[in-house]
Amino acid sequence: MLRVAGRRLFSLSQRSSTATSLAVSRDHTLSDGGNSSSSPRSAPSSDLSHFDSYHRSLIRGFSSQVLTQGNEVGFGSEPATVEAVKTPNSKIVYDDHNHERYPPGDPSKRAFAYFVLSGGRFVYASVLRLLVLKLIVSMSASKDVLALASLEVDLGSIEPGTTVTVKWRGKPVFIRRRTEDDIKLANSVDLGSLRDPQEDSVRVKNPEWLVVVGVCTHLGCIPLPNAGDYGGWFCPCHGSHYDISGRIRKGPAPYNLEVPTYSFLEENKLLIG
């Protein structure tokens, strides 16, 4: 690019010198001919004006300050944006009158800043509260689990001397309606002979009704009601025998049958759980 520009400038200088010499000689010849009219003298000026326009067009292609120089030599036929695109200039001036800046800590902006900060903190606190509530709700029991937490049983249909099995929290529960003979037999047992000594009155709220969880305390098997050597329950898996009060009397089971939490809502209605 620099070589091409040098060649063009060199040819420009040659042309300008040639044109100047021709114009001077022509003017000198005309003046010697004795012709005093204005037409021959205007010819050199027209040639020079043609040369000046050509000279300006060449300069315009290589100058980086064309906008400033164009204003000086009389350019301005095109809009400023078009001139800037055609001939870029590094001297750019920005108009900052629409970009007013306030100094830090301007009192006129404090209210807005406080509003934005307090609003953001309120939003953060609300989101945090929502997350905590969702976490607590997810950890609490659902409605179906709460429904299974308690069980109501109608005792009116249970005959004396029989056992009914109900399901509570996924485990079987034995409800036995005992007779007078069963109650006397349970109270006549010597506590010293028991592996897990408990009085019958401690295991029941109403002597007529015995409520125990039907899971063997040995390995979690389900004993059979109205079976065994003591008339209570018998676990056929490993041979554990329970009496009429659900107390272990024989076999590998270490503890008595568990008594769940229950209460009597009415005379013939039982609530387990």
Side-chain angles (χ1 to χ4, degrees), residues 171-184:
K171 297 181 292 184
V173 175
F174 298 145
I175 303 175
R176 183 181 179 95
R177 186 173 185 179
R178 301 189 297 182
T179 62
E180 292 293 334
D181 295 337
D182 294 336
I183 297 172
K184 291 178 181 179

Side-chain angles (χ1 to χ4, degrees), residues 3-260:
R3 292 182 179 179
V4 174
R7 291 177 182 175
R8 294 185 65 179
L9 289 176
F10 180 73
S11 61
L12 175 62
S13 61
Q14 289 183 349
R15 291 181 183 180
S16 62
S17 60
T18 304
T20 305
S21 60
L22 289 176
V24 171
S25 61
R26 183 180 296 177
D27 189 15
H28 180 70
T29 304
L30 291 175
S31 61
D32 290 344
N35 191 359
S36 60
S37 62
S38 62
S39 60
R41 293 184 180 178
S42 62
S45 61
S46 61
D47 293 338
L48 290 175
S49 63
H50 176 72
F51 166 73
D52 290 339
S53 62
Y54 179 74
H55 182 71
R56 286 195 300 268
S57 65
L58 291 177
I59 294 175
R60 188 176 180 181
F62 295 96
S63 176
S64 61
Q65 309 291 337
V66 66
L67 291 180
T68 306
Q69 294 177 359
N71 292 331
E72 293 176 357
V73 297
F75 295 165
S77 60
E78 295 180 351
T81 55
V82 178
E83 292 287 347
V85 171
K86 289 184 177 180
T87 55
N89 188 0
S90 61
K91 295 182 178 180
I92 301 175
V93 179
Y94 295 97
D95 187 8
D96 295 336
H97 73 281
N98 289 330
H99 302 279
E100 186 178 359
R101 298 179 180 272
Y102 294 93
D106 187 11
S108 62
K109 294 295 180 180
R110 288 178 184 174
F112 178 75
Y114 293 157
F115 174 76
V116 171
L117 292 176
S118 59
R121 291 174 181 175
F122 176 77
V123 171
Y124 296 152
S126 301
V127 172
L128 181 60
R129 174 180 174 274
L130 181 62
L131 293 177
V132 171
L133 290 178
K134 284 187 173 293
L135 179 61
I136 295 175
V137 171
S138 64
M139 294 176 63
S140 61
S142 58
K143 293 183 178 180
D144 55 348
V145 175
L146 294 175
L148 295 176
S150 60
L151 177 65
E152 291 186 9
V153 181
D154 186 11
L155 304 177
S157 61
I158 302 176
E159 297 295 333
T162 59
T163 303
V164 174
T165 304
V166 296
K167 187 177 181 181
W168 172 68
R169 295 183 180 180
K171 297 181 292 184
V173 175
F174 298 145
I175 303 175
R176 183 181 179 95
R177 186 173 185 179
R178 301 189 297 182
T179 62
E180 292 293 334
D181 295 337
D182 294 336
I183 297 172
K184 291 178 181 179
L185 181 62
N187 290 323
S188 63
V189 176
D190 184 13
L191 297 180
S193 63
L194 299 178
R195 184 177 302 171
D196 185 14
Q198 274 186 327
E199 294 183 357
D200 183 70
S201 59
V202 177
R203 296 178 57 81
V204 296
K205 293 185 177 181
N206 185 347
E208 185 180 2
W209 299 97
L210 175 68
V211 182
V212 293
V213 178
V215 177
C216 182
T217 57
H218 180 218
L219 292 177
C221 304
I222 300 177
L224 301 176
N226 300 325
D229 297 344
Y230 299 91
W233 289 268
F234 170 70
C235 181
C237 298
H238 301 92
S240 296
H241 297 258
Y242 300 89
D243 63 7
I244 202 67
S245 185
R247 295 172 295 194
I248 182 64
R249 301 294 295 273
K250 185 179 178 181
Y255 304 107
N256 302 331
L257 293 179
E258 179 186 357
V259 177

